[in-house]
Structures are given as C-alpha cells and as structure tokens.
Amino acid sequence: MKGFEKLLSPIEIAPNFVLKNRMIKAPQSSWRWNEDCTADGSDAIAMYENMAEGGVAAIDVAAILWEPAGGIYLGAYDDRFIPGMIELNEAVHKHGCLTIGQLHHIGPSAGPTPDGLPPISSSTLSEDEMPVPKPWCQAPRGLTVEEIHEKQRLQIEAAVRLQKGGFDAVEVHVAHGYFLDSFVSPLWNKRDDEYGCQNVENRTRIVREIIEGIREACGPDFVIGCRLNGREFHPTKQGITAEQAAENARAFVEAGAQYISIAGYGYGPTPFRYCPDYFPYPEPDPFMEPFMDEYRGKGLWTAVARQIKDAVDVPVITAGRMDENLAERVLEAGDADVIALGRTLWADPWFARKVDEGRIDEIMRCTRCASCEDPVTQPRICRVNPTLGQERQLAAKPVAKKKRVMVVGGGPAGMECACTLSERGHEVTLYEKTGALGGRIKLAAMIKSGGCEEVMHIFNHLTAMIEKSDVEVRLKTEVDEQLIRQEAPDAVVVAASSPYRIPDI
Ligand SMILES: Cc1cc2nc3c(=O)[nH]c(=O)nc-3n(C[C@H](O)[C@H](O)[C@H](O)COP(=O)(O)O)c2cc1C
C-alpha cells in the first residue's frame, strides 16, 4: 500500500525470526485463558489466531506466569502447560505469524493480596515509601540473594517450557512497576548489595543473569527480547530516566537480548494510569507538563525509543497510541524499527491486513474509553469490538437462509446491527426518522473528544461500513405498524434509543 512502505517492509531480528512487516501485537493481558491457567481450547487461542490472520508479523503473548499467582494468566511454571502452548502456537503459525512469550510476575504492584502476604520486590518498603499511592499498594518484602537466585531459576525453566511449547521467542518483562522493574528502578530498589541500584551493573544484574541463563538453557536459536520502561514518571522525578533506560538497554543487549521493546510507566493517582497511556484529565499533572508536547505529537515513548535506539545495535520496538500514519513517520524518522500495537488491535484485529490492502476507511479505531483497563471487568473487553476474545461464539458467520430484515433506528446500534446482518447475508433495510445516521453519537463526541477519548471514530467507521455494505438506508422514515405490514419483512430489529431527560439547569 502506497504511503506505508516502511510499515509494510520486513525486518530480520534473527535469522529464524524475520518479521514480514513492522507491526506486532503489543503484549496485553486478556484473561481469556482457562481458569486453571492452561491455554488448551481457550478463547485466547481463537483471539490470537484471528489477529494472526489479520496480518501482524508477530504476536507478543502477554503476562505468562513463571510462578503461580492469582488471576487468569497463561502458566509456564509446570510442564502441564506445554500442550496448550503448542495448540496456541500452531494456530498462530498457520497464518505466517511469529510468537513471543512474555514472562511475567507482578511483584510489588500486586496490591492487597487475599491472603494478606506481602508482595515480593527488590526491597522491603513501608507503605509510605511506596511509589504507588494508597489504597492501591501493599508494602512489599525484599528478597534475600538466595531467593533472587531461586526466582531466576524459575524464569529460566519457564523459558525452556515456552520453547518446548513452540514459541519463537521469549520476552523478559522488566517494565511497569513489576517484579524485575523493581530492581532496575530507583523508586523501588533501595538495596545496598550487588543487586542494588547504585550503578548500572548492579541494577541490571538480575535481568542480565536471567538472559544469560535462558541462552544457556535454550541454545543459540531461541530469540530473547526484553521489554523495559524507557522512562518512569513520578512526582518526585526519581523514576528511571531516558538516560538510565538507555544504559539498562545496552546492558541487556550485551547479555544477549536480541531486541528491546519500549514501554513506560507513571505512578499517578491510580497505578495503571500511565502504563497503556496517559489521560490528562482534567489537566495534566504538574510533573507531566514537560512531556505534554511529546505526548500530543509523536507519542509518549517515541523520543525515548530514539535515545535507546542510538545506544544499542539491535531492533527497537515502540508502542503507544499508534495509527498507521504515526507509525510510518516514527519508522521513517528512524526513531524505532518495529511498532507494537495494543488497543489498536483489540479494536480491530485486522488492522495490519487493512493497511496492507489499502482498506484504511474500514479500520475500527480504539476510542480510548479505557474499558479494557478496568481491573474489575474480567475477562477484558473492548467497547468497539464486542467480538474480542469471543471470536468463536460471536464472529459473523454466513447464514443458511436469507431473511428480509427491517432495522429501526439509525444510531450506532442500528448501524452496527444492519452491517452485521448484511455481512451474514441477509437483505437489510435501515430506517432512520431524522435526516442523518449516527443518532446521538455526535452529541457524545462533542463531550468526549479532542485529545482524550475519541468517540467520532465510531461514527466514521460505521458510516464507511454502511456505505460499503448492501444495506439500504431510508432516512426521514418513521417506522409504524402500517409500514411494517406493507413491507412484510421476516424480522424487525428495534434499535431505537430511549428518550433522554434534559435536567432542569
Ligand atoms: C488492558 C491492557 C493490558 C496490558 N497488559 C500488558 C502486559 O501484560 N504486558 C505488557 O508489557 N504491557 C501490557 N500493556 C501495555 C501494552 O503492551 C502497550 O504498551 C500499551 O497499551 C500502549 O500501546 P497501545 O496504545 O497500542 O495500546 C497492557 C495494556 C492494556 C491496555
């Protein structure tokens, strides 16, 4: 596709790990595995297979546990997880897509635990010393050197299982206030021994030893990558700086990391607030002000990615609110080599294929509603892609018997319904009593748009899809009993919304 030459060009990370384009799935915990942390037959497999078919070059399967923990993650702490991993990898590989398994432990960001045991970390901290504000935090316990070695052993053994399970690469997760980040970050690490934060050698030691251990256990062909915080935002400004991140990245590469993936973290009023994104509601925090131009321009991590790219000689992956145009600009400028897409692919798992085929207007874009980030809703959901993680159950399949359907109401629900019915092969007429489709979505967009949430994406996408579909649209047509009797359809869908009350203000 013209205009996206860089984004669609291949890149070699290792001889046996060549990306067919520069778009990979960013790691995102989905909670779509089985409750016993196996992958076998789970919804997550169908979800990732759909993304692979949708054209990305690789899928970074997020948050794989090297030690048992609460939550519906994929496990790698026992051999019983290997058959499910094989099923997952075969499903993804079928579509010419590579896989990365991201090893994960939440460490000191665990928050209050049901059993009341303190989370593990580099250092023992009091609640007042924690970089995450109450009530999110629980004071962590620092590990002894012996315990550190035990945790390293578990991670290396988990990497061997990933390799046996058919993954093409393993990613050591050193970001987001989690276990390994607690060693490289001065906000967490107050140790004064060889795993302390006094210098780059000590603060990177635990990760370097893990990388070296994986290399020894898995041999030269298994690709090893590292995800790290390119910058940490904190009111005290004591978090990882871009310069320190570049030093960390260099140390990991010297130990054997074959790519560096940039993420970042901010410790604001809610702990997850700056991990996927920063939401400057209602105004940016004072300590974020210096970064707002970057945030509004090239994305929060692009400048850091550049700094790290200048420091290492392996491919650098960046992420963060990327669309095809920004991604192409970032690659073209040489700020990064590969783009990781998180919420972009949850909103539209076929994003990469649509870019490749020039079907840009068909892309459903993430509106940044943050529904997927809600820690209470399990498994995770996407407001604009209701089929996410339920592809097997909800994917639009062709119908055996075509019906004539009247859809009443041209708001977003009616538009989506009409498109889906038409895609399935029904003969659909969409009725709207006003002169335009879209219902109240434009009113919502007046309130929710302009740099934070972008509700108009929903309208733009549905409008394009209706135009491309076989749906017949009848505007300025109110549906009543007489019209229904006259049309005599096989089915009527009422998608008319309820009236809303204007408060007495
Ligand atoms: C719901 C959710 C879960 C995430 N889980 C992980 C994770 O397990 N590991 C990780 O490294 N990053 C995780 N991230 C961060 C993403 O990988 C990515 O860096 C971030 O969402 C920014 O990219 P985007 O704007 O394309 O979504 C998560 C993000 C979201 C929204």
Side-chain angles (χ1 to χ4, degrees):
M1 168 66 186
K2 207 163 175 301
F4 304 110
E5 285 78 7
K6 221 42 198 161
L7 195 57
L8 295 169
S9 64
I11 179 171
E12 177 179 311
I13 289 185
N16 55 345
F17 198 92
V18 179
L19 298 178
K20 62 185 175 192
N21 59 48
R22 306 295 179 102
M23 291 171 273
I24 70 162
K25 167 76 184 73
Q28 279 176 288
S29 49
S30 63
W31 301 328
R32 295 274 174 189
W33 308 102
N34 299 318
E35 288 205 0
D36 62 359
C37 294
T38 57
D40 316 49
S42 65
D43 286 342
I45 295 187
M47 180 184 78
Y48 284 127
E49 174 164 7
N50 185 39
M51 281 174 197
E53 205 181 342
V56 278
I59 289 177
D60 191 335
V61 178
I64 304 178
L65 300 175
W66 47 265
E67 181 170 87
I72 309 171
Y73 297 98
L74 176 59
Y77 48 84
D78 191 280
D79 285 351
R80 74 188 157 90
F81 298 112
I82 294 174
M85 289 183 197
I86 293 173
E87 187 187 331
L88 165 71
N89 281 297
E90 283 178 355
V92 172
H93 286 153
K94 244 183 0 218
H95 302 281
C97 181
L98 300 168
T99 53
I100 301 167
Q102 183 191 55
L103 290 178
H104 165 80
H105 191 300
I106 193 165
S109 294
T113 52
D115 53 13
L117 287 176
I120 57 167
S121 186
S122 55
S123 303
T124 300
L125 299 180
S126 70
E127 274 193 3
D128 291 338
E129 290 170 309
M130 292 278 289
V132 183
K134 289 177 198 168
W136 300 98
C137 66
Q138 188 189 354
R141 177 179 72 84
L143 297 184
T144 63
V145 170
E146 210 177 24
E147 286 173 315
I148 288 175
H149 292 161
E150 171 64 6
K151 302 297 181 197
Q152 290 176 312
R153 183 181 67 77
L154 292 175
Q155 291 183 62
I156 294 162
E157 286 177 5
V160 172
R161 289 190 194 99
L162 295 186
Q163 188 182 31
K164 287 185 182 158
F167 281 94
D168 302 294
V170 58
E171 184 170 280
V172 183
H173 191 353
V174 198
H176 298 158
Y178 295 159
F179 179 64
L180 290 175
D181 181 37
S182 81
F183 284 82
V184 294
S185 169
L187 288 169
W188 297 101
N189 190 343
K190 311 293 175 194
R191 300 176 74 98
D192 53 14
D193 64 2
E194 70 269 34
Y195 290 99
C197 217
Q198 315 88 334
N199 52 51
V200 61
E201 200 187 344
N202 285 358
R203 70 174 183 255
T204 59
R205 187 181 307 278
I206 183 170
V207 178
R208 288 187 290 109
E209 288 174 350
I210 290 169
I211 294 171
E212 285 158 5
I214 295 175
R215 175 62 66 229
E216 202 182 322
C218 295
D221 295 333
F222 195 45
V223 171
I224 306 174
C226 220
R227 193 161 211 225
L228 51 79
N229 280 348
R231 197 184 259 151
E232 286 184 337
F233 302 109
H234 189 261
T236 62
K237 303 192 178 84
Q238 300 295 308
I240 295 172
T241 62
E243 291 69 30
Q244 287 167 346
E247 289 174 352
N248 296 344
R250 202 178 304 124
F252 300 152
V253 170
E254 277 165 18
Q258 289 158 285
Y259 72 81
I260 296 292
S261 173
I262 314 294
Y265 204 67
Y267 302 87
T270 58
F272 216 47
R273 196 166 166 205
Y274 312 77
C275 159
D277 201 346
Y278 177 58
F279 291 88
Y281 282 133
E283 296 294 331
D285 300 90
F287 64 96
M288 292 300 291
E289 284 288 0
F291 306 103
M292 290 314 290
D293 281 349
E294 245 175 70
Y295 166 82
R296 294 194 185 99
K298 287 167 57 167
L300 213 38
W301 316 126
T302 305
V304 180
R306 179 55 192 240
Q307 217 156 329
I308 290 179
K309 200 168 144 46
D310 289 342
V312 298
D313 56 2
V314 296
V316 167
I317 303 172
T318 193
R321 282 197 294 136
M322 292 283 166
D323 63 18
E324 64 285 2
N325 293 312
L326 178 56
E328 182 71 16
R329 282 208 309 277
V330 166
L331 296 173
E332 191 55 50
D335 292 333
D337 303 289
V338 177
I339 305 295
L341 304 159
R343 292 163 298 171
T344 300
L345 288 187
W346 275 9
D348 194 336
W350 281 40
F351 172 88
R353 184 184 277 243
K354 288 177 184 173
V355 172
D356 191 16
E357 294 174 358
R359 294 154 54 198
I360 303 293
D361 57 342
E362 289 180 31
I363 294 170
M364 180 59 237
R365 300 186 186 276
C366 166
T367 59
R368 297 174 71 211
C369 65
S371 302
C372 64
E373 294 158 45
D374 181 352
V376 181
T377 311
Q378 296 201 13
R380 293 196 194 273
I381 52 159
C382 175
R383 181 175 68 177
V384 296
N385 177 12
T387 61
L388 181 79
Q390 298 185 83
E391 286 74 6
R392 263 193 286 242
Q393 300 88 329
L394 299 182
K397 297 190 188 91
V399 283
K401 189 170 175 294
K402 181 174 170 168
K403 289 185 180 170
R404 287 180 59 245
V405 187
M406 291 175 79
V407 177
V408 184
M415 292 168 87
E416 177 81 49
C417 175
C419 285
T420 307
L421 289 170
S422 170
E423 191 187 340
R424 296 196 63 193
H426 293 297
E427 190 184 320
V428 186
T429 310
L430 176 62
Y431 294 85
E432 167 55 39
K433 73 175 173 188
T434 71
L437 294 179
R440 285 186 206 129
I441 200 91
K442 286 182 242 171
L443 175 64
M446 283 166 67
I447 302 159
K448 293 181 164 191
S449 64
C452 285
E453 203 173 331
E454 289 293 351
V455 175
M456 269 313 262
H457 288 327
I458 300 174
F459 175 77
N460 296 339
H461 171 73
L462 288 174
T463 304
M465 297 313 289
I466 288 279
E467 272 168 19
K468 289 196 163 190
S469 74
D470 294 329
V471 173
E472 186 189 331
V473 178
R474 292 204 197 149
L475 298 175
K476 296 189 183 163
T477 310
E478 192 154 2
V479 177
D480 54 14
E481 192 184 331
Q482 195 192 347
L483 183 60
I484 295 175
R485 287 195 188 284
Q486 183 187 314
E487 293 295 322
D490 299 309
V492 178
V493 178
V494 180
S497 56
S498 51
Y500 59 95
R501 195 174 70 87
I502 299 178
D504 189 17
I505 48 170

